[in-house]
């Protein structure tokens, strides 16, 4: 039994490893049959990996492996690891001879049976350049003296089932197929005989939005995933999605991983933003935030999102407030015109700084469209908090108008709200709020590392930024005793920054995530 189990584990491990490490198998990138042609049309999650990327991609992957993990030749390293995993098997195994000799260029993975917490099934399809050799491998990997694999057949396709865990192996057309259980395997056979994922309009359109040169692509049918879970979104989740401008029914998300010599680029595309894709460039607001920020983000659409939230709450009402009365109450009792307020919010930026939980501070910085709106907003919100009896409320005088709130729920620092000219700041701690209001000192826009991140995003406007070393310092202060963190820390130290940007692209939103590494 041990012999069969050892060999059984080799191929799935090889497929995943080769997807990341091009273990030297297959022909040119993108050639050979498409795994999506045998994957079920109702797949909610599909992952495709290039097992044989081109020369430039291979060179970039090796460069990353050397700088981050200290590995000179990633492909050779992976093959060695695979062979070592089966070295104590009673039956000899050699990756190059038993697997690489027939393994094709692209691996496709489908996950199925999502129950809200986890996937209960799934299958992998890999093109075979020699189906006879593939079948010989399956026979060898599932052989066992004490308890051999069970045999089955479906629609003329023979397969073998591991009696211990129900995993299934077989050859479907020109593909090696590994499935977690028989229903998943049979769904692959059905797809090969009928309408596969590759012929679904939404799939082909979404995947067509991805760039070339990737080592792996991801496709998610968001609506199908929610429906598959059998759960309905609660009111809070629906409000969050609406405020965020996100839809989930009949929408998709795709992502592509493109390695470069000193960074990893993740390209994303989604139509989840509905008829109005996310847009707007608030990169100036982001660049104006403090250079000491460990994380920062910006938005040009905050006012619109807040307006959507209030409109939803106003329309629904609750046990005490009738529908369409909430905004009137704010206006009559506290002088807050929600529509006027949200329309007056321009670009917004937020940042966090500090090296430990005890020193964390941050602020939200709003550029209002007029100084009068900034001052009136602070005054009216202060009136609201005072009227509702919020604990620890104190008016703040001086060059800026505002107030602070200090109580046990907020921790060691007060929440301070200040307005001056067209700027409105909500800060954690008085010093942080005052500094953000003044807008003086070194900014992210002055930082060479931030400039590198902006350049890496190209024409995509930057919307969020994380300083790798500062974020790691914060994580280390609270996870220093965590064994998993200690094991990962040497590699996390290599991350210089993370940068995220997005822009509308037709009826979809295109986003780009950059993970930059120390050079």
């Amino acid at each position: 039994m041990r012999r069969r189990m050892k060999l059984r584990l080799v191929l799935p491990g090889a497929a995943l490893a080769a997807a990341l490490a091009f273990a030297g198998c297959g022909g040119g990138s993108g050639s050979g049959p498409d795994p999506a042609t045998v994957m079920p049309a109702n797949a909610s999650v599909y992952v495709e990996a290039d097992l044989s990327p081109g020369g430039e991609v291979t060179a970039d992957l090796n460069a990353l492996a050397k700088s981050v993990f200290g590995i000179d030749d990633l492909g050779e390293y992976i093959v060695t690891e695979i062979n070592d995993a089966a070295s104590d098997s009673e039956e000899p195994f050699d990756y190059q001879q038993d697997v690489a000799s027939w393994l094709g260029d692209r691996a496709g993975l489908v996950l199925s049976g999502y129950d809200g917490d986890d996937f209960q099934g799934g299958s992998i399809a890999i093109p075979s350049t020699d189906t006879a050799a593939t079948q010989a491998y399956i026979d060898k990997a599932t052989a066992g003296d004490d308890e051999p694999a069970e045999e089955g057949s479906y629609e003329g396709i023979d397969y073998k089932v591991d009696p211990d865990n129900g995993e299934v192996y077989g050859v479907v057309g020109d593909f090696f197929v590994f499935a977690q259980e028989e229903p998943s395997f049979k769904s692959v056979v059905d797809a090969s005989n009928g309408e596969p994922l590759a012929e679904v309009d939404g799939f082909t359109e979404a995947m067509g939005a991805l760039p070339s040169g990737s080592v792996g692509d991801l496709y998610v049918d968001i609506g199908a995933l929610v429906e598959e879970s059998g759960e309905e979104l609660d009111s809070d989740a629906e409000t969050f999605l609406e405020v965020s401008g996100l839809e989930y029914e009949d929408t998709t998300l795709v992502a592509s991983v493109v390695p470069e010599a000193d960074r990893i680029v993740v390209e994303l595309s989604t139509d989840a933003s509905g008829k109005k894709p996310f847009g707007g460039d608030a990169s100036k607001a982001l660049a104006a935030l403090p250079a000491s920020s460990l994380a920062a983000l910006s938005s040009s659409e905050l006012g619109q999102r807040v307006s959507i939230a209030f409109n939803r709450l106003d329309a629904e009402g609750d046990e005490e407030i009738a529908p369409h009365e909430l905004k009137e109450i704010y206006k009559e009792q506290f002088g807050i015109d929600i529509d006027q307020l949200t329309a007056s919010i321009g670009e917004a930026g937020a940042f966090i700084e500090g090296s430990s939980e005890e020193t964390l501070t941050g602020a939200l910085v709003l550029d209002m469209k007029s100084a009068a709106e900034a001052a009136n907003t602070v005054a009216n919100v202060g009136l609201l908090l005072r009227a509702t009896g919020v604990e620890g409320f104190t008016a703040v005088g001086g060059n800026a108008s505002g107030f602070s709130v200090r109580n046990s729920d907020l921790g060691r620092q007060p929440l301070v709200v200040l307005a001056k000219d067209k700027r409105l700041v909500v800060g954690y701690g008085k010093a942080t709020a005052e500094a953000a209001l003044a807008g003086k000192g070194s900014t992210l826009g002055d930082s060479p590392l931030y400039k590198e991140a902006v350049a890496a995003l190209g024409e995509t406007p930057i919307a969020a930024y994380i300083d790798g070393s500062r974020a790691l310092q914060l994580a280390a202060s609270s996870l220093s005793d965590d064994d998993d963190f200690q094991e990962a820390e040497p590699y996390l130290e290599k991350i210089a920054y993370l940068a995220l940007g997005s822009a509308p692209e037709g009826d979809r939103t295109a986003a780009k995530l950059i993970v930059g590494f120390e050079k």
Side-chain angles (χ1 to χ4, degrees), residues 285-308:
L286 188 65
L289 297 176
S292 56
S293 302
L294 70 88
L297 57 87
S298 63
S299 171
S300 63
E301 300 177 330
L302 181 61
Q304 298 174 42
R305 303 306 175 196
V306 174
S307 177
I308 291 171

Side-chain angles (χ1 to χ4, degrees), residues 43 104 127 189:
V189 176

Side-chain angles (χ1 to χ4, degrees), residues 351-473:
F351 67 91
I352 300 173
E353 56 187 359
S355 59
S356 67
E357 292 183 5
E358 292 73 25
T359 60
L360 274 184
T361 61
L364 169 67
V365 182
L366 303 178
D367 288 328
M368 307 296 285
K369 294 183 179 178
S370 74
E373 284 293 343
N376 289 339
T377 297
V378 170
N380 291 335
V381 172
L383 175 64
L384 171 63
L385 296 180
R386 189 190 297 272
T388 53
V390 171
E391 178 187 354
F393 178 89
T394 305
V396 175
N399 295 328
S401 61
F403 60 86
S404 69
V405 177
R406 181 188 290 274
N407 57 52
S408 58
D409 293 336
L410 294 173
R412 57 186 174 78
Q413 295 270 29
L415 189 68
V416 180
V417 181
L418 300 173
K420 184 178 181 181
D421 298 328
K422 294 183 180 181
R423 177 166 286 190
L424 190 158
V425 169
V426 181
Y428 187 60
K430 185 178 180 181
T432 300
E434 290 177 341
L437 188 68
K440 297 180 180 179
S442 180
T443 66
L444 284 175
D446 301 322
S447 165
L449 192 62
Y450 177 82
K451 292 178 181 178
E452 181 182 330
V454 172
L457 284 169
E459 296 181 357
T460 304
I462 189 169
Y465 171 80
I466 296 176
D467 183 301
S469 63
R470 288 191 170 97
L472 181 62
Q473 187 177 12

Side-chain angles (χ1 to χ4, degrees), residues 309-317 321-328:
F310 265 96
N311 285 337
R312 181 183 179 89
L313 294 172
D314 185 50
E316 289 185 349
I321 301 176
H324 304 293
E325 287 190 2
L326 180 62
K327 289 200 291 186
E328 286 300 319

